[in-house]
């Protein structure tokens, strides 16, 4: 029978897409993770992972094995959790996915309170773009995550409203304006973030009769900012991401554009994840 170490190592490699990163998450050496996965593959009789120069991916057998491994670990965790609940304790693991710019401002303060109230819970924090977070929630790699509304398939609690702003290089002609219209941005080379922001501003642009044709695309917001700073175009990003970033200017949009961020919970989330959601919900009332 597979051991807990084998299952945890296999899922960590699959989720982190590499043995070294999995070792950091599990606090194990890379060779130890490799041995655990190799022994699981030997026991099952088929390769579970394809090794590439830039990472790993699941084989067909690996996809099936991952499905069962997640559920096996979930059931074991449920056993510990339900026994602990009889003593009035919340235990287990909180698998939490956050947008990079919400980790420090929203998630970390909430986790500080949560850790004080539930010291027996282990927290695994993932950071990524919104499409990545939604994928982690769908696959069960995360129980709770920060997403934009609407999210009808998930249980959510609102975190707050976020202003979207026009992002311009210092010295740009539009930087002299108090606010920037979508039609003004459409006349400039546009740098599109593929990390989830486009889903917020594209419908607003369409309503305004404007199409923002991308001259460049970048997944990370930091890369978008670097391209804007280099004078390659303009963009739209969350105001919270700007801070005091040098070399760029942020201006309000016309029409005003916002997105509502929420903490979303999967249907089969752990009691620890549900406790975290309830804590955040209570703090925002």
């Amino acid at each position: 029978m597979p051991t807990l170490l084998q299952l945890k190592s296999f899922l960590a490699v699959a989720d982190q897409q590499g043995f070294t990163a999995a070792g950091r998450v599990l606090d194990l050496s890379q060779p130890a993770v490799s041995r655990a996965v190799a022994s699981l593959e030997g026991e099952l009789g088929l390769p579970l992972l394809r090794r590439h120069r830039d990472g790993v991916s699941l084989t067909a057998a690996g996809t099936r094995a991952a499905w069962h491994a997640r559920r096996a670990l979930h059931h074991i965790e449920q056993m510990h959790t339900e026994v602990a609940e009889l003593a009035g304790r919340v235990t287990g693991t909180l698998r939490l996915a956050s947008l990079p710019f919400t980790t420090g401002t929203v998630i970390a303060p909430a986790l500080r309170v949560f850790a004080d109230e539930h010291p027996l819970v282990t927290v695994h924090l993932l950071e990524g773009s919104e499409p990545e977070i939604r994928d982690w929630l769908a696959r069960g790699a995360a129980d709770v995550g920060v997403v934009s509304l609407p999210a009808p398939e998930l249980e959510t609690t609102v975190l707050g409203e976020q202003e979207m702003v026009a992002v311009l290089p210092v010295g740009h002609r539009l930087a002299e304006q108090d606010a920037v219209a979508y039609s003004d941005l459409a006349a400039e080379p546009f740098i599109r973030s593929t990390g989830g922001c486009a889903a917020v501003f594209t419908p607003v642009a369409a309503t305004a009769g404007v199409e923002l044709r991308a001259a460049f695309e970048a997944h990370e917001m930091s890369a978008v900012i670097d391209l804007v700073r280099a004078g390659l175009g303009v963009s739209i990003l969350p105001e919270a991401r700007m801070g005091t970033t040098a070399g760029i200017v942020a201006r309000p949009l016309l029409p005003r554009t916002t997105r509502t961020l929420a903490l979303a919970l999967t249907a089969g989330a752990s009691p620890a994840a549900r406790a975290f959601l309830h804590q955040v919900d209570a703090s925002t009332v």
Side-chain angles (χ1 to χ4, degrees), residues 91-112:
T91 64
T93 301
L94 171 62
R95 288 176 286 265
L96 172 61
S98 175
L99 298 165
F101 59 87
T102 61
T103 299
T105 57
V106 178
I107 298 303
L111 281 176
R112 193 156 45 237

Side-chain angles (χ1 to χ4, degrees), residues 167 170 225 229 238-250:
V167 183
V170 167
I225 291 172
R229 183 187 292 116
E239 183 180 34
R241 183 61 180 82
M242 296 302 99
T244 56
T245 307
I248 64 166
V249 175

Side-chain angles (χ1 to χ4, degrees), residues 44-112:
L44 296 178
L46 285 172
L48 305 178
L49 299 165
R50 297 187 187 89
R51 280 75 167 173
H52 312 293
R53 293 182 61 181
D54 57 348
V56 301
S57 61
L58 291 171
T59 63
T63 299
R64 185 67 61 85
W67 188 90
H68 287 288
R70 290 192 198 281
R71 278 144 188 81
L73 291 179
H74 176 73
H75 286 307
I76 292 172
E77 184 174 307
Q78 284 292 102
M79 177 184 67
H80 287 286
T81 297
E82 290 178 13
V83 171
E85 283 179 344
L86 295 176
R89 302 192 304 269
V90 176
T91 64
T93 301
L94 171 62
R95 288 176 286 265
L96 172 61
S98 175
L99 298 165
F101 59 87
T102 61
T103 299
T105 57
V106 178
I107 298 303
L111 281 176
R112 193 156 45 237

Side-chain angles (χ1 to χ4, degrees), residues 20 80-81 123 130 143 157 173 175 177 194 208 212:
T20 301
H80 287 286
T81 297
V123 178
E130 182 161 348
D143 294 318
T157 186
R173 65 178 183 85
Q177 301 180 185
T194 60
L212 299 172

Side-chain angles (χ1 to χ4, degrees), residues 215-269:
F216 300 92
E217 289 188 340
H219 184 68
E220 299 294 336
M221 288 189 190
S222 58
V224 174
I225 291 172
D226 287 340
L227 293 174
V228 172
R229 183 187 292 116
L232 293 174
V234 300
S235 190
I236 297 175
L237 292 175
E239 183 180 34
R241 183 61 180 82
M242 296 302 99
T244 56
T245 307
I248 64 166
V249 175
R251 292 288 182 264
L253 287 164
L254 293 175
R256 182 172 180 258
T257 304
T258 63
R259 72 170 171 179
T260 302
L261 291 177
L263 204 59
L265 191 74
T266 59

